[in-house]
Amino acid sequence: MAKNILIIGGGIIGLCSAYYLSKEGHNITIIEKGNGNEGASFVNAGYITPSHIIPLAAPGMIAQGIKMMFNSASPFYMKPRLETDFLKWSWFFHRSSTKRNVEKAIPLIKEINLMSRALFADIRESGDLGEFQLERKGLLMMYQTQKSFLHEKKVAEKASALGLEVSYLDRTQLGKLQPNVRLNAEGAIHYECDGHTTPNEIMPKLLDFLKNKGVTICMGEEVMDLAMNNGQIQTVKTQKNTYVADEVILAAGAWSGTLSKKLNLRLPIQGGKGYSINVERKTGITIPAILMEPKMAVTPMNGFTRFAGTMEFSGNNTMVRKERVTALVNGAESYYPDLRFNEEEVKKVKTGLRPVSPDGLPYIGKTRHIKNLTIATGHAMMGWSLGPATGKLVSEIIEERKTSMAIEAFSPDRRF
């Protein structure tokens, strides 16, 4: 039976939820506070990453954050601030950053990433979006120091034990794999299981498909209030309209935590700001890479190479910190000696806020407190990679079918 479904959030998670729900014949409306061409879904590295099996909340991360707290150019920056939500989230993050929690999270992260990788391929094969970049060249974890290599080697061994394709490249082998660019790297760990895309290409195609399927998309509308009645959401009010729906999906990214407060829910989320710079001239880079010391990503996309990275916790703002842009530029140029960013490229830097949960796992599922609410957010750095899988799971939840994988660990009601 067709339902009226309201999706709050027009990023990759919201659009993928609409994609799968539209195939079930539901009447769907998407509310998006932005203009549909900005934010984390547009400025991310475009990775599909089964290799990213370690959640952000890992042992030592809080200590690292405190160490870097007073260096706003550091790859992992937490701006000191006395905000209750941030302090609570930090405490929950600290409590979650244990070896036991990481070991429990690893197989779940692997499974949902592999599910999403298969769904990306299914979407392309369906022809629904037409042609788009979807390549499986893997991901190079490039390093300049033995310390970085040994750190990543532990992850690679876990990934290999889980059946993911991993190989080790010395300087010569790396050079043969990337012959058209001069590299300043000692070697790389090659996660052959990974893929990459161009987000700026897929997002408009996904929007066009949904519009053609009859999905109503309301850009520039910010949710101001959500009214409850008898244990479910009665109305959703924006600055322009009031909406009534049978089911509501909260997929508002970094703003999901703020909106959940209007429903008296406890959904700890902090916005982790990332930066990206596009270089539209030839770079010779053909395989995605993470540069380990500066902790940044490099992706050869359709028409440009993207340099992205950093994790900045400084509140839900899109302010550009020049020192972080400089760190991004310096990090890239230290690995690619012939690359020099020009002033115009640097000026066009973009930022986006990733929604980060305290334990590094997304929130996907119903909450026991509200009958007609499904939550889909908190994916941190894996939002793009997990878009299709999350959308598929959301559709299965709404349809009350058995989900494609166990999702209890993703419960929005879990405690920290």
Side-chain angles (χ1 to χ4, degrees), residues 77-81 83 86 270-273 275 311-319 321 324 353:
Y77 173 56
M78 302 175 80
K79 181 184 178 183
R81 58 194 197 276
E83 294 176 6
F86 176 67
Q270 285 292 306
K273 191 189 300 179
Y275 292 67
M311 180 64 84
E312 174 188 330
F313 294 101
S314 60
N316 281 7
N317 64 77
T318 54
M319 183 183 78
R321 292 179 181 273
R324 299 189 72 71
L353 290 165

Side-chain angles (χ1 to χ4, degrees), residues 46-48 116-125 130-137 194-198 201-202 300 302 384 388:
Y47 291 162
I48 302 165
S116 216
R117 187 182 73 180
L119 290 172
F120 266 111
D122 288 348
I123 291 170
R124 189 170 70 170
E125 286 172 19
E131 285 295 315
F132 61 84
Q133 183 193 33
L134 178 62
E135 297 191 61
R136 181 85 173 274
K137 293 182 176 180
D194 289 6
H196 71 284
T197 60
T198 301
E201 177 183 54
I202 292 175
N302 264 352
W384 183 262

Side-chain angles (χ1 to χ4, degrees), residues 294-310:
K295 294 180 172 56
M296 59 178 291
V298 183
T299 315
M301 296 186 178
N302 264 352
F304 57 93
T305 304
R306 175 165 289 173
F307 298 83
T310 83

Side-chain angles (χ1 to χ4, degrees), residues 6-9 29-33 218-227 235-244 259 262:
L6 183 66
I7 300 175
I8 303 173
T29 299
I30 298 172
I31 300 173
E32 165 57 38
K33 66 180 291 195
C218 306
M219 295 293 179
E221 288 200 39
E222 183 175 359
V223 173
M224 310 306 290
D225 196 21
L226 300 100
T235 59
V236 177
K237 294 182 180 180
T238 71
Q239 79 276 35
K240 296 179 181 179
N241 296 295
T242 297
Y243 299 90
V244 178
L259 289 174
K262 297 179 184 294

Side-chain angles (χ1 to χ4, degrees), residues 92-111:
F92 296 149
F93 187 94
H94 167 69
R95 289 183 53 160
S96 300
S97 300
T98 65
K99 185 177 179 181
R100 180 172 175 270
N101 282 349
V102 168
E103 292 301 322
K104 283 169 62 179
I106 285 173
L108 294 167
I109 295 172
K110 175 208 164 189
E111 185 177 359

Side-chain angles (χ1 to χ4, degrees), residues 178-192:
Q178 289 276 261
N180 298 319
V181 60
R182 189 159 67 96
L183 293 170
N184 178 25
E186 289 302 309
I189 294 175
H190 189 193
Y191 290 104
E192 297 167 32

